[in-house]
Amino acid sequence: MPPIINVKTDSRIEMVDITAAVRKELSRSGITDGTCVVYVPHTTSGITINEGADPAVCRDILMKLNDLVPANAGYLHMEGNADSHIKASLMGSSVTVLVEEGRLVLGTWQKIFFCEFDGPRSRKAFVSIR
Amino acid sequence: MPPIINVKTDSRIEMVDITAAVRKELSRSGITDGTCVVYVPHTTSGITINEGADPAVCRDILMKLNDLVPANAGYLHMEGNADSHIKASLMGSSVTVLVEEGRLVLGTWQKIFFCEFDGPRSRKAFVSIR
Amino acid sequence: MPPIINVKTDSRIEMVDITAAVRKELSRSGITDGTCVVYVPHTTSGITINEGADPAVCRDILMKLNDLVPANAGYLHMEGNADSHIKASLMGSSVTVLVEEGRLVLGTWQKIFFCEFDGPRSRKAFVSIR
C-alpha cells in the first residue's frame, strides 16, 4: 500500500483540509523534485484544491453541490447515497501537485481538501510522490 | 502512439467499464510500481472513477448530467452536441491511478469508466504507465 | 519554480487556449516521452481540455457554468467571487497529457484551456514534463 492519510469526518458532506498531512508524507519521502498524486479510493468521496483561508468557500462549494445534486431526488441507486456518487465524480478521485525543492508547489491560497459526501465516516487517501 | 483501449458505445450517453482493459495494459507493461494515466483524446467524451457494483449508479450519474446539461438547450455551438462538450469537461479528460506490486490501487468498489456523451461511436482511450 | 505560462484575461470569465505555450515548454524541455502536467496555482481559475475549432464551444461551457453557478447568489464567502471558486473546483486544478516522440498526445480537436473565473487578471500556469 502507498502511504495513507486517514480522514475522520463528522457530517454527511464535509471538506477536510489534508494539506499538512500531504506535506508530512512529502517530507518522509525525501523526494525534492517530482510530482505528488493524492488519490481517494472511495466512490462517495472526492478531492479538490481550493481556498483554505476563509472556511465560507468550502461551505459555498458544498451548498452548491447539494443544490445541484440534492440527496434523495428520485435516483435509481437504492442505498440513499446516489447523490454522493455523483458529487464524487464532479470533484474527481485525485489531484496532482508539483514538487520542487522538497516543497508542494501550491498557490498562496490553495489547500488540498478531502471531500466527504456520505459521512460521517473513517476514510483514507493515498499519497504517491515520484 | 501509447497503448490504446478501444471502446464501442451503443447510446448517445453511456458509461463503459474499462477497468479490465486497463489491467491488461498494466500486465503487458511489466511495470510493478508507478502511476497509470488513462487519457481520453475526444472532446465529447470523458473519464471518471466510480462504483461498478450497482449499474444504477452510472445511470444516476448520466441522468443527473442530462438534467444539469440538457441536449439542445439554446447553445451557440451548432453541431447539436454542445451539451456533450460541457459534460466532457465536467468529468475530465484523464484519471490517474497508483500502481503497486503490479496492481492498480483501486478501492473495493471503484471501476474506471469511459464516459461517452455523443454516441454511439467507436472511441479510444490511451494508457500510460510509468 | 517550474516553467511558467503567463495568461492575461480581459473578462470576468474566459477560456484561454494555452496549447501553443505548453508545446513551447515541451520543446524547451527536450523530453521526448513522458507525461506533461499543467497546473493552475489560483483558487478562482481552473483548467480543462476541450474543442478549440469552434469558439462557440467555450462560450457554451462558460454560459452553462454561469447558469449552474451564478455570481452573487446568496453565497457565504463575502468577496463576491464564491461562484468563481466553485467553478474552479468543477473544472479542476490540473490536466495531464501524454508525451510521445516529443509531441503532446492530444486528440484532433483537443486544446488546453486556462479557465479564468474571476478576471480580468494576470495569471499563470505551471508546466511539469517528466
Side-chain angles (χ1 to χ4, degrees):
Chain A
M1 279 293 134
I4 292 176
I5 293 174
N6 291 296
V7 181
K8 219 182 155 326
T9 59
D10 300 312
S11 319
R12 184 164 193 271
I13 76 170
E14 183 177 343
M15 291 170 69
V16 182
D17 180 355
I18 59 170
T19 316
V22 177
R23 286 208 174 98
K24 190 182 278 183
E25 291 304 332
L26 173 56
S27 171
R28 268 185 200 154
S29 77
I31 293 171
T32 53
D33 291 271
T35 307
C36 173
V37 174
V38 188
Y39 183 86
V40 169
H42 310 287
T43 57
T44 50
S45 46
I47 188 161
T48 195
I49 293 173
N50 215 302
E51 191 198 297
D54 178 4
V57 169
C58 286
R59 291 206 297 269
D60 284 329
I61 292 171
L62 295 173
M63 274 202 311
K64 175 49 73 179
L65 287 173
N66 266 345
D67 170 36
L68 295 175
V69 191
N72 305 314
Y75 302 108
L76 299 168
H77 183 55
M78 297 302 288
E79 293 176 23
N81 60 2
D83 64 300
S84 318
H85 288 289
I86 300 166
K87 286 162 177 153
S89 275
L90 287 174
M91 290 297 101
S93 52
S94 71
V95 292
T96 299
V97 180
L98 309 184
V99 172
E100 284 224 345
E101 298 178 6
R103 296 197 296 188
L104 296 177
V105 183
L106 290 171
T108 314
W109 307 106
Q110 286 186 318
K111 301 287 182 188
I112 304 169
F113 289 97
F114 182 97
C115 304
E116 172 66 69
F117 295 125
D118 191 27
R121 298 243 200 172
S122 289
R123 302 286 209 174
K124 61 193 173 192
F126 297 132
V127 182
S128 170
I129 302 158
R130 283 168 185 280
Chain B
M1 280 292 137
I4 292 176
I5 293 173
N6 290 297
V7 181
K8 218 184 156 327
T9 59
D10 299 312
S11 318
R12 184 163 193 271
I13 77 169
E14 183 178 343
M15 291 170 69
V16 181
D17 180 353
I18 59 170
T19 315
V22 177
R23 284 206 175 99
K24 189 182 278 180
E25 292 304 331
L26 173 55
S27 169
R28 264 183 205 157
S29 76
I31 293 171
T32 54
D33 292 86
T35 307
C36 173
V37 174
V38 189
Y39 183 85
V40 169
H42 309 288
T43 58
T44 51
S45 46
I47 188 162
T48 195
I49 292 173
N50 216 301
E51 191 198 298
D54 178 4
V57 169
C58 286
R59 292 207 296 270
D60 284 330
I61 292 172
L62 294 173
M63 274 203 310
K64 174 50 74 178
L65 287 173
N66 266 344
D67 170 35
L68 295 175
V69 191
N72 306 314
Y75 302 107
L76 299 169
H77 182 55
M78 296 303 287
E79 293 177 23
N81 60 2
D83 65 300
S84 319
H85 289 288
I86 299 167
K87 287 162 176 154
S89 275
L90 287 174
M91 290 296 100
S93 53
S94 71
V95 293
T96 299
V97 180
L98 309 184
V99 173
E100 285 225 344
E101 298 178 7
R103 296 198 297 191
L104 295 177
V105 184
L106 289 170
T108 314
W109 308 106
Q110 286 186 319
K111 301 286 183 191
I112 304 169
F113 290 97
F114 182 96
C115 304
E116 172 66 69
F117 296 125
D118 191 28
R121 298 245 200 170
S122 290
R123 301 286 209 173
K124 59 193 173 190
F126 298 132
V127 182
S128 170
I129 303 159
R130 282 167 185 279
Chain C
M1 280 290 136
I4 291 176
I5 292 173
N6 291 297
V7 181
K8 219 182 155 329
T9 59
D10 299 312
S11 318
R12 182 162 193 272
I13 77 170
E14 184 176 344
M15 289 170 70
V16 181
D17 180 354
I18 59 170
T19 315
V22 176
R23 285 208 174 99
K24 190 182 280 184
E25 291 303 332
L26 172 55
S27 170
R28 266 185 202 156
S29 76
I31 293 172
T32 54
D33 291 271
T35 307
C36 173
V37 174
V38 189
Y39 183 85
V40 169
H42 309 286
T43 58
T44 50
S45 47
I47 187 161
T48 195
I49 292 172
N50 216 302
E51 192 197 297
D54 178 4
V57 170
C58 287
R59 290 206 297 268
D60 284 329
I61 292 172
L62 294 173
M63 273 202 312
K64 175 49 74 176
L65 287 172
N66 266 345
D67 171 35
L68 295 175
V69 190
N72 305 314
Y75 302 107
L76 299 168
H77 183 54
M78 297 302 289
E79 292 176 25
N81 60 1
D83 66 300
S84 319
H85 289 289
I86 300 167
K87 287 162 177 153
S89 275
L90 287 174
M91 290 298 99
S93 51
S94 71
V95 293
T96 299
V97 180
L98 309 183
V99 173
E100 284 223 345
E101 298 177 8
R103 295 198 296 190
L104 295 177
V105 184
L106 289 170
T108 314
W109 308 106
Q110 287 186 319
K111 300 287 181 188
I112 304 169
F113 290 98
F114 182 96
C115 304
E116 173 67 70
F117 295 125
D118 190 29
R121 297 244 202 172
S122 288
R123 301 287 210 173
K124 60 193 173 191
F126 297 132
V127 182
S128 168
I129 302 157
R130 282 167 185 281

